Amino acid sequence: MARDARALFPSEFAHVTVRGLGRRIIFEDDQDKKRFLDILAEKLKGSKAAIYAWCLMDNHAHLLLRADRADLSKLMQRTEISYAQYFNGRHGHVGKVFQNRFNAQPITSESHLLAAIRYIHRNPLDIGEDVDQYAWSSYQEIAEGKGGIADSAAVLELFAGIDGFLSFHNNANEEDGFERIDGYRRRLDDAEAIDIALKAFGQSFADRISSMPKTERDKALAQLKFAGLSIRQIERLTGVGRGAIARA
């Protein structure tokens, strides 16, 4: 990583997520995705922020930004407002498009930064798309030298060149010696998730956790998340709603 970047943790890199209200679709087609990127590029011109990675899915978007808090907030607010106006006008939608305020997770270390970039680029795997073939992420911009909104040169410097970038992204299990960051670790299958829950809370763990007082339940949910279970897995196994799990 470049020397100047090391001094910026934890405040000047953030993994930003924007989602559709009630998990609704915010990109109906490629035209919507292109318009979002065009708006983002336009707003970047008046900002000191830089994009290190991005990925657009149907009902949410991921951005890895280098920016101070004021610039980040201004950039995202302006982008969301402009896109919502476009989306509502094109699709005859009325009301909010995005779910509350964008979420920004501070990046706390070099390994967290590298893992976040890879996590963003690997999002299309969730819908059966190959990382290197998915058109709506910055992976091709960086790996193939295509023009775009990502600061490709800065990203490649982080990975010590294109070979390091490709190798890091191709590591299927993400078990490569970099620190394990909650949210970026290897995904557990359901059998592993159940085994962890059984060892932690015993038989009938679903009934036990769902009937706990809120404070105790939140601790149990947080324990399962820390152990590597995804929010979706915890929801399926315990019956507790996603919102409660995410807040725990």
Side-chain angles (χ1 to χ4, degrees):
M1 177 175 292
R3 182 182 299 274
D4 66 329
R6 290 193 178 96
L8 296 175
F9 299 114
S11 61
E12 292 204 24
F13 287 95
H15 177 187
V16 174
T17 310
V18 295
R19 298 186 181 278
L21 181 66
R23 303 190 187 93
R24 295 171 187 161
I25 288 175
I26 54 176
F27 305 116
E28 293 284 353
D29 53 25
D30 288 354
Q31 181 177 328
D32 285 352
K33 293 185 176 79
K34 184 178 186 304
R35 186 58 176 268
F36 181 86
L37 294 178
D38 287 344
I39 290 172
L40 183 56
E42 177 188 344
K43 303 307 179 185
L44 278 167
K45 292 177 182 177
S47 169
K48 296 179 182 179
I51 292 183
Y52 277 49
W54 59 268
C55 183
L56 308 185
M57 308 299 283
D58 286 349
N59 67 352
H60 67 282
H62 292 274
L63 304 171
L64 196 292
L65 288 163
R66 176 178 173 177
D68 63 30
R69 291 185 181 182
D71 270 346
L72 187 152
S73 181
K74 186 182 298 183
L75 171 67
M76 295 310 303
Q77 286 176 3
R78 290 178 174 177
T79 299
E80 289 185 351
I81 289 171
S82 293
Y83 182 77
Q85 291 173 342
Y86 152 81
F87 184 89
N88 285 347
R90 182 184 180 212
H91 298 291
H93 181 269
V94 177
K96 293 177 64 176
V97 174
F98 295 102
Q99 179 175 302
N100 301 322
R101 190 174 181 272
F102 64 89
N103 177 269
Q105 179 186 21
I107 301 297
T108 57
S109 67
E110 293 180 36
S111 52
H112 189 177
L113 177 59
L114 301 182
I117 292 171
R118 177 175 55 192
Y119 174 82
I120 289 170
H121 287 153
R122 288 170 65 87
N123 251 243
L125 294 174
D126 288 342
I127 57 172
E129 297 277 359
D130 292 332
V131 173
D132 59 351
Q133 297 297 314
Y134 190 66
W136 298 105
S137 85
S138 53
Y139 183 90
Q140 291 184 11
E141 286 183 17
I142 299 165
E144 301 177 17
K146 296 182 176 180
I149 61 174
D151 189 342
S152 297
V155 174
L156 290 178
E157 185 177 357
L158 297 177
F159 290 93
I162 187 63
D163 289 342
F165 176 85
L166 296 175
S167 175
F168 192 77
H169 281 72
N170 288 336
N171 190 290
N173 291 327
E174 304 186 8
E175 301 257 354
D176 49 16
F178 285 80
E179 73 181 53
R180 292 166 62 84
I181 303 296
D182 190 29
Y184 303 102
R185 63 186 64 181
R186 179 181 68 84
R187 296 181 183 181
L188 303 173
D189 61 35
D190 282 352
E192 292 173 308
I194 291 171
D195 185 57
I196 289 171
L198 284 171
K199 289 179 179 177
F201 301 103
Q203 295 292 335
S204 302
F205 62 84
D207 292 337
R208 288 188 59 195
I209 292 173
S210 61
S211 62
M212 288 175 176
K214 183 180 183 304
T215 300
E216 188 178 349
R217 186 194 66 188
D218 285 350
K219 289 181 180 179
L221 296 173
Q223 181 177 338
L224 292 177
K225 288 195 294 184
F226 184 79
L229 277 71
S230 70
I231 290 176
R232 289 182 182 179
Q233 285 175 323
I234 298 172
E235 180 186 34
R236 288 199 303 271
L237 297 179
T238 67
V240 177
R242 292 187 187 183
I245 297 168
R247 291 188 296 270

